[in-house]
Amino acid sequence: MACLPGFNWVFLSALLHAVAPWGAHRPDRPRQCDAPKSQSDMNSFLWRVKRAPPHPPSYLFGTIHVPYTRVWDFIPDRSKQAFHSSRNVFFELDLTDPLTISKLTNCQLLPHGESLQTLLPRDLYRRLKRHLDYVKHMMPYWMTSDQRGRGLYADYLFNAIAGNWERKRPVWVMLMINSLTEWDVRSRGTPVLDLYLAQEAERTGKTTGAVERVEEQCHPLNGLNFSQ
């Protein structure tokens, strides 16, 4: 596959679903959990959008929100070559922009004057609080020596993930709880694939941008009711 300079990359994100490799049901293809034996066994998750000459093609690349080190070795060379050759890269959101992060944080909060303690059933709220107390107690034991060597400490990390949790909307607390496992805590400090590629795009002088606004991500989740 030829990768022409000047083409665009746009990222698609999979938040909650694992995607089976292309051809996973074929007996001559590796199973999903097997390490690929060659480049041809790797799923590129890369789609090319052809345009009439002299315009170069554009590309769509499917990503997942996990530490990039977990998946980087399984991304085929043709996808990496497409990224490195491109001049313009557009992401779901601009995760390198402090304003984007601030908006994401604010959109998770309940309206002024409300708190989880008043919204959740008393027993559920108490279970949630006990669980977060347990996580805070265990976090120093879960963290790696490498994290501590980089100045990442348990109290700081807990507050970064779970700070102000009583003011968050229930759906965001659910997502927060899912990210407070021992494995996830040990992975903190390593950028997820989307952020890593955004940092690389900035480092190499590519033009970057976002295809969505924070509100377009937050409002559908914030509109969910308790039964949903």
Side-chain angles (χ1 to χ4, degrees):
M1 179 182 65
C3 296
L4 302 178
F7 66 76
N8 299 327
W9 247 32
V10 178
F11 288 80
L12 305 177
S13 293
L15 282 173
L16 301 175
H17 300 285
V19 183
W22 175 83
H25 298 294
R26 287 175 47 186
D28 57 331
R29 303 291 291 187
R31 292 177 300 172
Q32 184 170 359
C33 294
D34 290 342
K37 296 180 174 62
S38 67
Q39 287 285 315
S40 61
D41 290 331
M42 294 183 181
N43 190 325
S44 66
F45 296 102
L46 183 72
W47 288 262
R48 181 169 60 181
V49 181
K50 294 181 179 180
R51 296 188 293 173
H55 303 291
S58 294
Y59 288 86
L60 294 174
F61 181 63
T63 62
I64 187 169
H65 295 300
V66 298
Y68 84 94
T69 50
R70 188 180 178 191
V71 296
W72 191 248
D73 290 342
F74 303 98
I75 297 175
D77 291 342
R78 61 179 176 269
S79 296
K80 295 175 182 177
Q81 183 182 357
F83 173 76
H84 290 305
S85 301
S86 66
R87 295 178 183 171
N88 309 301
V89 186
F90 295 88
F91 298 90
E92 181 184 9
L93 292 174
D94 184 1
L95 297 179
T96 63
D97 181 9
L99 182 59
T100 296
I101 304 303
S102 176
K103 287 182 176 180
L104 281 172
T105 300
N106 290 332
C107 84
Q108 298 176 18
L109 299 178
L110 289 162
H112 184 71
E114 294 188 18
S115 70
L116 275 181
Q117 189 170 9
T118 59
L119 287 179
L120 297 181
R122 181 178 300 179
D123 181 61
L124 180 59
Y125 176 81
R126 287 175 176 173
R127 287 167 53 199
L128 173 61
K129 191 173 187 307
R130 284 198 303 268
H131 178 70
L132 290 175
D133 288 342
Y134 164 77
V135 169
K136 187 174 184 178
H137 171 75
M138 293 301 299
M139 195 168 284
Y141 303 100
W142 290 349
M143 294 184 65
T144 67
S145 56
D146 179 67
Q147 287 174 316
R148 289 188 288 270
R150 287 183 281 134
L152 194 60
Y153 295 101
D155 286 345
Y156 170 82
L157 185 57
F158 180 83
N159 289 329
I161 301 172
N164 210 21
W165 64 269
E166 294 192 35
R167 290 274 295 112
K168 290 181 183 289
R169 296 174 184 267
V171 65
W172 296 103
V173 173
M174 180 190 69
L175 295 173
M176 179 193 77
I177 291 295
N178 288 338
S179 69
L180 282 172
T181 65
E182 179 177 357
W183 187 92
D184 283 294
V185 168
R186 294 171 69 89
S187 300
R188 290 285 172 160
T190 301
V192 295
L193 181 60
D194 309 61
L195 179 57
Y196 171 75
L197 290 171
Q199 291 170 341
E200 282 295 293
E202 282 199 343
R203 185 183 66 82
T204 54
K206 303 180 188 300
T207 299
T208 61
V211 297
E212 293 184 13
R213 294 179 293 114
V214 170
E215 295 77 11
E216 292 172 316
Q217 289 225 341
C218 281
H219 289 174
L221 286 175
N222 288 349
L224 296 175
N225 57 40
F226 281 151
S227 63
Q228 294 170 316

